[in-house]
Amino acid sequence: MHANLRSFMEQLRRSGQLVEIDAPVDPYLELAEIHRRVIEDGGPALLFTNVKGKSFPVVTNLFGTVERVDMAFGPKPESIIRELVHGLDKLLPPRLSGLWELRSPLMGIMRTGTRTVPQSKAPVMELSTTDVDMTQLPALTSWHLDGGPFVTLPLVYTEHPETKEHNLGMYRIQIYDKNTTGMHWQIHKGGGFHYHEAEKRNQPLPVTLTIGGPPALIISAIAPLPEMVPELVFASLLMGDKLKLAEVPNHPHRIVAEAEFVFAGEVPPHVRRPEGPFGDHFGYYSWTHDFPVFHVKQMWRRKDAIYPATVVGKPRQEDFFIGEYLQRLLSPLFPIVMPGVKALWTYGETGFHALAGAIVRESYYKEAMAHAFRILGEGQLTLTKFLMVTDVPCDLSNFKHFLEIVLARFQPERDLLIVNDTSNDTLDYTGRKFNHGSKGVMLGIGDPVRELPREYRGEGIPGIAKIESFCPGCLVISGPGFEERPELGEDLLPYANEHLRDWPMICIVDDASIAESQSRFLWTVFTRFDPAHDLYARSTIVRNKIRYEGPLVVDARMKPFYPDEVETRPDIAALVDRRWKEYFPK
């Protein structure tokens, strides 16, 4: 498809999916608020040509709809993966007749890889300097409590110090000054693994930061690929062509020839600096923590470089649509990588890692739990906080229906497992300690064991102001806040076991009206509870096994020790209101 950012932008322009904003716009808060309003309305990509105090234009919202994501890559990558998976039996063992039947997808695979081009064929090398000034980039400050401007579509390339296996990841970059930035390597990221190995050797890790280039690089950097799948090869598959790279002096990595900017440098061992806060894709601020530091030594860029950016926050933002595409693209591979897992879905409304659903094979007693363990041991899925599993075919993206299927079959004494004291997503603070938390597995397998109520027809619940049904079997209630009644979940158990036994799941939230929306329900409930701390059920211990019974009560209220939700500062909202017709005069 697209060999560079400009090709994609031209396609968007021709289709009416790119709007230029010529009015002066501040990269501090104002630009991000314009972006958020446009993406909420399903609007076009935005090219800001007059960014205050900066000499580079900014393009955002490139992937802010399903249509634009499909425009970026077309149907070919999906068809190649689907055809290869469906024809796998023809390749094992390989036979000439089978290879011929699969000649089309195999030819697509054979065209993947990288190709070195001379510097004259690398537009990114039009300008080069060792006098680097990162502050000249129009990096966005998206939320008013952010620690500073961040590069929000960074493509960070590293290589393992010994094996030279590469990783391309998207790790946010906080700009500190002219030539130092933060390097937000989270605990489950490949670049962080490479740095760990370099640090053990007391060596700096060379790093190449790319901004812009083929859209496929952005997708590949985000994709939760198995470790043996190189991101550059996957990007080439999405492009349908080899990725062009160029050799550069005084740096061990080749650079992306069609990029807009490339920065080369290193991350020294044993050096940390406070990074953050940052309003992240969970919809909350991630707090300040110490992270490694990137020392930038050289820059290459196009003469007329364009700076791509995105804005994250409460779902649904641009990353949501990218994540949905990746799930569609990679879903045929799940049964190959994890035999017995028929379908898998992670929920973008929860930040992806907070909740996953799966359909698995159940051919013997509790086989489903074995598949759950397999899922929780695979790549980035290891950080899944809550996993729901069934053996009933269904559309996992329709969470209301999926949850109904699980709850109709759920037997708490056998089907609930809570694993205490595990690692947690770096951006999820529900575990009360940085990078620490717990996990929950909930099964709903076999035939239904109960008929679920669809509406609540009982009397009022003591101390509860509002009662709503999210789906059959799941009740959503709100009353006093956590600071007023922190033990509400525990206190509610006797009443729930006597009067609410028909409702297998009861969620305590701050406003029960979230039950009206699947998106609001998912975001509120699963980003605000930790299974070990905030899930309540009557229980006994039988031969080292915790046996739960009765309804599960989930306390998904905001706790005072959680970070703040991201919210637009009122004066910025008023500014954008006032200037809206300047941005979009037609």
Side-chain angles (χ1 to χ4, degrees):
M1 286 294 286
H2 299 287
N4 54 45
L5 174 67
R6 289 145 192 266
S7 168
F8 182 39
M9 289 176 62
E10 183 56 34
Q11 183 188 14
L12 296 179
R13 186 178 281 109
R14 290 195 308 267
S15 64
Q17 289 283 318
L18 178 68
V19 170
E20 290 191 16
I21 297 178
D22 298 322
V25 174
D26 198 326
Y28 177 77
L29 304 182
E30 182 183 11
L31 193 153
E33 176 62 11
I34 299 167
H35 168 106
R36 286 191 291 266
R37 295 190 187 191
V38 170
I39 199 170
E40 186 176 4
D41 289 339
L46 304 172
L47 178 62
F48 297 88
T49 61
N50 190 356
V51 182
K52 290 182 179 178
K54 309 295 179 180
S55 56
F56 304 107
V58 173
V59 63
T60 74
N61 201 21
L62 291 165
F63 307 103
T65 64
V66 172
E67 178 186 4
R68 286 205 293 281
V69 173
D70 288 341
M71 289 171 66
F73 309 107
K76 197 165 186 178
E78 291 184 67
S79 66
I80 288 176
I81 290 176
R82 189 166 52 248
E83 288 177 51
L84 285 175
V85 168
H86 289 166
L88 196 61
D89 59 324
K90 298 181 176 66
L91 298 176
L92 299 173
R95 302 185 304 274
L96 284 176
S97 59
L99 292 173
W100 180 253
E101 288 181 44
L102 294 173
R103 62 192 181 278
S104 179
L106 287 174
M107 287 298 293
I109 292 291
M110 290 175 64
R111 283 193 291 267
T112 63
T114 63
R115 177 160 58 93
T116 301
V117 298
Q119 295 184 11
S120 60
K121 300 291 185 181
V124 74
M125 299 187 72
E126 289 174 340
L127 293 176
S128 174
T129 182
T130 54
D131 184 19
V132 182
D133 188 354
M134 298 290 287
T135 66
Q136 293 301 305
L137 291 175
L140 307 186
T141 303
S142 300
W143 302 99
H144 62 276
L145 296 182
D146 283 358
F150 285 80
V151 179
T152 52
L153 284 179
L155 302 169
V156 179
Y157 178 90
T158 58
E159 294 179 355
H160 190 285
E162 183 176 338
T163 67
K164 301 305 176 184
E165 293 176 349
H166 78 255
N167 173 260
L168 183 74
M170 189 166 289
Y171 315 120
R172 73 183 189 223
I173 300 289
Q174 180 178 351
I175 297 176
Y176 295 140
D177 51 44
K178 287 181 60 175
N179 49 24
T180 58
T181 78
M183 182 59 71
H184 195 266
W185 276 323
Q186 298 174 24
I187 59 174
H188 57 303
K189 300 295 188 180
F193 296 150
H194 290 174
Y195 180 64
H196 175 70
E197 291 299 322
E199 200 168 44
K200 284 197 304 184
R201 294 165 169 79
N202 201 33
Q203 298 172 355
L205 181 68
V207 170
T208 303
L209 166 63
T210 301
I211 301 175
L217 284 176
I218 293 174
I219 299 296
S220 299
I222 297 172
L225 298 172
E227 287 188 30
M228 73 289 294
V229 179
E231 286 85 3
L232 296 188
V233 173
F234 185 68
S236 174
L237 173 66
L238 295 177
M239 292 167 57
D241 198 1
K242 292 189 182 294
L243 179 67
K244 297 176 183 176
L245 302 176
E247 302 276 0
V248 295
N250 305 317
H251 190 60
H253 304 157
R254 294 179 297 170
I255 67 173
V256 177
E258 294 284 350
E260 299 294 317
F261 301 85
V262 172
F263 299 90
E266 62 184 24
V267 178
H270 314 297
V271 176
R272 301 293 187 271
R273 181 169 172 175
E275 189 265 4
F278 180 70
D280 224 310
H281 69 275
F282 271 65
Y284 309 89
Y285 286 96
S286 58
W287 287 326
T288 301
H289 298 286
D290 287 342
F291 275 90
V293 179
F294 178 34
H295 291 259
V296 187
K297 297 182 177 181
Q298 190 162 2
M299 179 193 73
W300 298 267
R301 70 168 176 87
R302 292 174 182 250
K303 290 179 180 178
D304 56 346
I306 300 169
Y307 179 86
T310 191
V311 178
V312 292
K314 295 176 185 176
R316 300 178 175 181
Q317 301 295 332
E318 208 171 344
D319 61 313
F320 176 89
F321 296 99
I322 295 173
E324 296 272 278
Y325 171 78
L326 283 169
Q327 299 201 79
R328 295 200 321 264
L329 179 68
L330 299 176
S331 59
L333 297 175
F334 294 142
I336 307 300
V337 177
M338 297 179 286
V341 178
K342 299 178 179 179
L344 181 67
W345 195 257
T346 60
Y347 294 87
E349 297 94 338
T350 72
F352 294 105
H353 288 314
L355 175 66
I359 303 170
V360 303
R361 182 181 64 215
E362 173 77 359
S363 59
Y364 57 84
Y365 178 69
K366 296 290 283 286
E367 182 186 3
M369 187 63 79
H371 295 309
F373 291 149
R374 179 67 180 87
I375 291 167
L376 293 176
E378 179 63 36
Q380 292 188 36
L381 290 168
T382 58
L383 292 184
T384 300
K385 181 169 68 176
F386 205 79
L387 174 62
M388 295 185 176
V389 178
T390 188
D391 60 341
V392 180
C394 62
D395 177 7
L396 291 173
S397 66
N398 183 347
F399 181 73
K400 277 193 175 186
H401 184 228
F402 171 52
L403 181 58
E404 179 183 350
I405 288 171
V406 171
L407 293 179
R409 293 159 175 80
F410 172 63
Q411 300 179 57
E413 67 275 11
R414 70 164 200 184
D415 292 339
L416 180 65
L417 175 67
I418 304 299
V419 183
N420 291 277
D421 194 22
T422 69
S423 61
N424 209 22
D425 190 292
T426 297
L427 306 179
D428 186 339
Y429 290 90
T430 58
R432 275 70 168 176
K433 185 179 178 182
F434 187 51
N435 286 334
H436 291 63
S438 66
K439 299 185 186 304
V441 178
M442 185 177 186
L443 307 183
I445 53 179
D447 296 324
V449 296
R450 65 176 64 82
E451 185 173 343
L452 299 172
R454 295 185 173 272
E455 295 180 16
Y456 181 72
R457 301 182 183 276
E459 300 177 355
I461 302 173
I464 299 303
K466 192 170 185 178
I467 306 170
E468 298 286 349
S469 169
F470 171 66
C471 73
C474 180
L475 210 58
V476 182
I477 63 177
S478 57
F482 184 86
E483 290 187 86
E484 183 180 346
R485 276 191 71 183
E487 304 302 328
L488 179 59
E490 187 74 43
D491 295 344
L492 189 63
L493 276 183
Y495 184 91
N497 277 277
E498 184 174 352
H499 301 287
L500 303 174
R501 292 191 67 85
D502 291 339
W503 297 88
M505 187 173 186
I506 301 164
C507 299
I508 309 173
V509 298
D510 294 301
D511 180 3
S513 67
I514 64 158
E516 300 168 5
S517 161
Q518 173 172 303
S519 182
R520 290 182 64 202
F521 176 87
L522 285 168
W523 179 67
T524 301
V525 171
F526 289 94
T527 65
R528 296 185 183 179
F529 92 95
D530 173 80
H533 282 96
D534 302 313
L535 193 152
Y536 300 90
R538 183 180 290 173
S539 63
T540 55
I541 298 178
V542 180
R543 295 185 63 83
N544 297 318
K545 172 180 170 54
I546 301 177
R547 294 174 58 90
Y548 301 97
E549 61 176 287
L552 302 184
V553 176
V554 176
D555 187 349
R557 295 173 294 174
M558 279 292 286
K559 281 70 171 183
F561 41 84
Y562 286 178
D564 293 337
E565 292 181 37
V566 292
E567 299 285 356
T568 301
R569 207 170 69 187
D571 63 314
I572 297 299
L575 171 69
V576 173
D577 285 342
R578 188 170 63 251
R579 298 196 62 201
W580 194 255
K581 290 185 178 179
E582 294 181 53
Y583 311 138
F584 306 101
K586 296 180 182 180

